[in-house]
C-alpha cells in the first residue's frame, strides 16, 4: 500500500453556497478561487508517518472544475519534517496514485510550494483554517429542520471521494495569493467540511 490517510477536510471558495462545481456546473463567477485543506489525524505514505500534519491548496479554477487546468499554490505545515513534506507532495502531485491522483490530474500548473504555520480547527461542520498570514477562513454549518447539519453526497465531483460533506458558509474568507491573481476578503460564501479515508 502506497498510502493510508485518515483526517478532516475544510474547503471554502468565492462561490455562493452551495458551490456549483460539486455538481459539475460552472462556478458562479465564471471562475472559482478556493482553499482546500487536508489535516491528517493518522496516516502513512510509503512508511512515513504523517499524523498531525496539514497540507493546503489554494487554487484558481479558470472555468468548469471538470475541465481542469487549475493553477495552484501548495502550503505544507511548517511543523512537518522534510520526509513528511516529500511524502505529502508525492501524494498530492498524483505520483502515488489512488483517489488523490484523480483530483491532482485536474491541476495544470503549480505556481508555488511553501512551508508556513497552519492552524486547522474543524469538527462536525464548524471550524477555522489559518495558513500563514495570507489565508484565513471560518466555517459554520447549514442545518436542516431537525437541527442536524446538512450533508451533501453522491456528487459528480468531490475533494473527498467516497465521503459525504457538511454544507456550510464562511462568515469570513480571506485569501491573498498574487501568483494566482487572488485577493479576496469575503463574507457568507460557500464552505464545506468532511472527514476522509484515502487508500492507495
Amino acid at each position: 500500500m502506497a498510502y493510508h490517510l485518515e483526517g478532516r477536510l475544510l474547503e471554502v471558495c468565492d462561490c455562493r453556497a452551495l458551490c456549483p462545481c460539486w455538481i459539475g456546473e460552472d462556478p458562479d463567477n465564471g471562475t472559482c478561487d478556493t482553499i482546500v485543506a487536508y489535516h491528517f489525524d493518522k496516516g502513512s505514505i510509503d512508511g512515513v508517518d504523517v499524523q498531525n500534519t496539514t497540507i493546503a491548496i489554494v487554487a484558481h479554477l479558470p472555468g468548469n472544475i471538470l475541465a481542469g487546468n487549475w493553477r495552484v499554490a501548495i502550503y505544507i505545515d511548517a511543523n512537518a519534517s522534510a520526509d513528511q513534506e516529500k511524502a505529502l507532495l508525492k501524494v498530492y502531485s498524483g505520483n502515488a496514485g489512488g483517489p488523490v491522483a484523480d483530483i491532482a490530474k485536474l491541476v495544470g500548473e503549480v505556481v508555488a510550494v511553501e512551508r508556513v504555520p497552519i492552524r486547522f480547527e474543524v469538527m462536525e461542520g464548524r471550524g477555522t483554517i489559518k495558513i500563514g498570514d495570507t489565508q484565513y477562513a471560518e466555517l459554520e454549518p447549514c442545518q436542516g429542520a431537525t437541527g442536524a447539519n446538512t450533508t451533501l453526497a453522491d456528487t459528480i465531483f468531490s475533494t473527498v471521494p467516497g465521503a459525504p460533506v457538511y454544507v456550510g458558509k464562511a462568515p469570513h474568507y480571506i485569501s491573498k495569493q498574487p501568483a494566482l491573481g487572488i485577493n479576496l476578503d469575503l463574507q457568507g460564501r460557500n464552505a464545506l467540511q468532511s472527514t476522509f479515508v484515502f487508500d492507495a
Side-chain angles (χ1 to χ4, degrees), residues 37-139:
Y38 298 87
H39 179 80
F40 307 104
D41 294 311
K42 62 172 67 173
S44 64
I45 303 166
D46 292 334
V48 177
D49 187 342
V50 293
Q51 182 173 346
N52 293 325
T53 60
T54 304
I55 187 170
I57 299 158
V58 174
H60 173 75
L61 284 57
N64 190 286
I65 198 166
L66 300 175
N69 295 317
W70 305 0
R71 299 178 68 239
V72 307
I74 298 174
Y75 296 89
I76 303 287
D77 191 343
N79 292 328
S81 70
D83 285 344
Q84 288 172 326
E85 177 181 3
K86 182 178 178 181
L88 290 170
L89 289 175
K90 179 178 180 180
V91 170
Y92 280 84
S93 67
N95 290 328
V100 180
D102 292 336
I103 301 169
K105 70 184 180 183
L106 297 170
V107 174
E109 180 186 5
V110 177
V111 301
V113 176
E114 299 181 31
R115 291 176 63 95
V116 294
I118 298 178
R119 179 163 62 96
F120 188 107
E121 298 171 355
V122 181
M123 185 65 69
E124 297 181 354
R126 185 181 302 274
T128 303
I129 182 79
K130 186 174 187 293
I131 305 164
D133 295 323
T134 60
Q135 319 290 329
Y136 176 80
E138 302 161 6
L139 173 61

Side-chain angles (χ1 to χ4, degrees), residues 15 19-28 32 63-66 156-157:
C15 290
C19 174
C21 295
W22 279 68
I23 58 170
E25 299 292 326
D26 292 343
D28 288 338
C32 184
N64 190 286
I65 198 166
L66 300 175
I156 194 168
F157 173 81

Side-chain angles (χ1 to χ4, degrees), residues 11-14 32-36 57-61 173 182:
E11 178 176 334
V12 61
C13 74
D14 61 347
C32 184
D33 292 327
T34 182
I35 299 170
V36 183
I57 299 158
V58 174
H60 173 75
L61 284 57
Y173 166 34
I182 297 174

Side-chain angles (χ1 to χ4, degrees), residues 9-19 22 34-35 125 127 137-142 150 152 165-173 188-194:
L9 164 98
L10 185 147
E11 178 176 334
V12 61
C13 74
D14 61 347
C15 290
R16 295 183 296 273
L18 175 70
C19 174
W22 279 68
T34 182
I35 299 170
E138 302 161 6
L139 173 61
E140 291 184 353
C142 297
T150 301
L152 178 68
V165 295
Y166 294 110
V167 176
K169 290 185 177 181
H172 207 174
Y173 166 34
R189 300 304 172 97
N190 173 73
L192 301 164
Q193 190 260 318
S194 185

